[in-house]
């Protein structure tokens, strides 16, 4: 806890993090307090089990995928900077800030948010949501409500509807297209991070 | 006319599924942030 300034002085390279993520120093302090609370062993890193201890993730049908998104391939821990960079996807879009074409695409843009969601489906990272990958998600979300047969029929209909090049899978472009009418900034932003 | 209007506003299967997926995603990320926001209450209802 403590004042904003004393916490800030504990965090290395805050300016870089502010630049990169668009978070205010006050947001970063809040996230740092949260990170420290999750880091029960006080190692400066979080492990998957630290995330697993969060009740709402433990009962979440896609909790494992969400936890997995915080870890780079082959990594078993996540440090504070990576933690903040992942959460920056969920920052609401800046309406006032003009687009600067010389800057890289911000991490909270519509495309970047959609990519984040897409990668949670595409577990083998081949750039496509296969029928099997879609079925896995449907199974975890709808498990109790429908039969396996119904799941397969939903998966087939979903792919048919989105699959423009008929390769029996959903590419990122097809995914983006199928969500054209959805307000992604609204659906994928956490308002308290504004 | 009414029929046409209804057809236009009906979400596609992809919209329905991915929207549900995003709801779970946001609930989970709110959990990571330790924030009890919109999605938390939505799940409780």
């Amino acid at each position: 806890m403590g004042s904003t300034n004393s916490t800030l002085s504990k965090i290395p390279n805050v300016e870089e993090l502010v630049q990169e993520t668009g978070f205010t120093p006050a947001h970063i302090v809040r996230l740092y307090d949260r990170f420290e609370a999750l880091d029960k062993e006080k190692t400066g890193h979080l492990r998957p089990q630290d995330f697993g201890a969060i009740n709402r993730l433990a009962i979440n049908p896609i909790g494992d995928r969400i936890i997995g998104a915080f870890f780079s391939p082959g990594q078993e821990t996540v440090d504070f900077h990576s933690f903040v960079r992942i959460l920056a996807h969920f920052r609401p879009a800046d309406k006032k800030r003009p687009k600067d074409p010389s800057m890289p695409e911000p991490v909270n843009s519509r495309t970047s948010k959609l990519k984040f969601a897409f990668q949670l489906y595409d577990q083998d990272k081949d750039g496509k949501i296969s029928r099997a990958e879609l079925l896995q998600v449907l199974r975890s979300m709808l498990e109790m409500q429908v039969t396996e047969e119904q799941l397969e029929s939903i998966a087939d209909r979903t792919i048919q509807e989105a699959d423009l090049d008929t390769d029996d899978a959903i590419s990122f472009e097809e995914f983006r297209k199928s969500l054209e009418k959805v307000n992604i900034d609204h659906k994928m932003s956490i308002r308290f991070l504004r | 006319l009414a029929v046409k209007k209804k057809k236009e506003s009906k979400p596609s299967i992809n919209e329905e599924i991915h929207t549900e997926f995003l709801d779970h995603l946001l609930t989970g990320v709110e959990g990571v942030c330790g924030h009890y926001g919109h999605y938390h209450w939505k799940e409780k209802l």
Side-chain angles (χ1 to χ4, degrees), chain A residues 4-165:
Chain A
T4 299
N5 282 334
S6 70
T7 304
L8 267 182
S9 62
K10 281 193 286 180
I11 310 171
N13 305 320
V14 174
E15 296 80 16
E16 189 191 307
L17 213 46
V18 167
Q19 262 291 329
E20 207 182 316
T21 62
F23 283 132
T24 63
H27 281 135
I28 290 178
V29 166
R30 272 168 91 170
L31 294 175
Y32 192 76
D33 287 340
R34 179 59 176 164
F35 185 90
E36 286 205 309
L38 294 173
D39 179 16
K40 295 209 178 64
E41 318 262 295
K42 302 290 164 240
T43 60
H45 290 83
L46 300 182
R47 302 152 305 155
Q49 55 264 44
D50 295 319
F51 287 89
I54 302 169
N55 208 358
R56 268 184 291 165
L57 276 181
I59 58 165
N60 193 301
I62 57 164
D64 287 346
R65 286 167 196 261
I66 298 171
I67 295 171
F70 282 86
F71 297 87
S72 314
Q75 294 278 349
E76 273 152 41
T77 60
V78 56
D79 64 10
F80 180 64
H81 277 239
S82 310
F83 179 76
V84 174
R85 272 188 224 113
I86 297 292
L87 292 174
H89 289 90
F90 298 92
R91 203 169 65 79
D94 313 89
K95 295 204 172 73
K96 283 175 202 151
R97 201 181 293 176
K99 265 197 180 167
D100 182 350
S102 67
M103 292 291 280
E105 175 110 14
V107 69
N108 63 340
S109 72
R110 179 185 165 92
T111 300
S112 170
K113 285 176 193 283
L114 279 173
K115 277 214 172 110
F116 188 91
F118 183 82
Q119 278 165 12
L120 291 186
Y121 282 95
D122 179 20
Q123 295 281 290
D124 69 0
K125 307 283 169 242
D126 70 345
K128 287 176 200 160
I129 304 171
S130 66
R131 185 176 184 272
E133 283 168 338
L134 184 63
L135 260 175
Q136 274 177 19
V137 169
L138 290 173
R139 200 172 287 132
S140 49
M141 291 200 307
L142 305 172
E143 211 184 1
M144 308 300 187
Q145 306 161 38
V146 295
T147 65
E148 186 65 25
E149 218 170 280
Q150 286 171 314
L151 281 179
E152 298 208 2
S153 142
I154 297 170
D156 287 339
R157 275 165 32 215
T158 307
I159 289 183
Q160 261 174 39
E161 185 188 85
D163 184 16
L164 302 172
D165 60 4

